[in-house]
Amino acid sequence: MHPKGLIFCFNWRPDSHHISDFQDPAAKDIWFANQLEDDACASLAVLNIIFNVKGVRLGEELEEFRRETGEMS
């Protein structure tokens, strides 16, 4: 089995990047959650991984969440 994602732990700092800063056409197909809460890093890391791995069965609620939030900044 090959790893599907990596989780790096580091001190958080405000991000100054915007989605328009990246010109990679493949980036439009990547789901990414910005962390807004101090204590949500592990949950967001797992969501970022499973929402971007093809073939993972998310279930109805997570699939709906992914669809509704995919275009958010």
Side-chain angles (χ1 to χ4, degrees), residues 19-34:
I19 193 73
S20 59
D21 294 342
F22 303 99
Q23 301 302 319
D24 185 349
K28 69 179 179 61
D29 296 325
I30 296 175
W31 188 93
F32 178 76
N34 287 314

Side-chain angles (χ1 to χ4, degrees), residues 11-42:
N11 289 332
W12 180 85
R13 63 187 166 112
D15 188 3
S16 61
H17 295 94
H18 302 295
I19 193 73
S20 59
D21 294 342
F22 303 99
Q23 301 302 319
D24 185 349
K28 69 179 179 61
D29 296 325
I30 296 175
W31 188 93
F32 178 76
N34 287 314
Q35 182 174 337
L36 302 176
E37 295 292 326
D38 290 339
D39 59 354
C41 53

Side-chain angles (χ1 to χ4, degrees), residues 3-73:
K4 303 297 184 190
L6 298 172
I7 298 174
F8 296 97
C9 297
F10 56 90
N11 289 332
W12 180 85
R13 63 187 166 112
D15 188 3
S16 61
H17 295 94
H18 302 295
I19 193 73
S20 59
D21 294 342
F22 303 99
Q23 301 302 319
D24 185 349
K28 69 179 179 61
D29 296 325
I30 296 175
W31 188 93
F32 178 76
N34 287 314
Q35 182 174 337
L36 302 176
E37 295 292 326
D38 290 339
D39 59 354
C41 53
S43 299
L44 289 178
V46 170
L47 284 175
N48 281 319
I49 291 169
I50 65 170
F51 280 9
N52 288 299
V53 175
K54 295 190 185 324
V56 173
R57 294 183 191 173
L58 298 175
E60 189 175 316
E61 289 180 9
L62 282 178
E63 200 55 68
E64 182 178 344
F65 178 76
R66 181 181 180 197
R67 276 193 306 273
E68 289 182 6
T69 60
E71 297 296 319
M72 292 181 174
S73 63

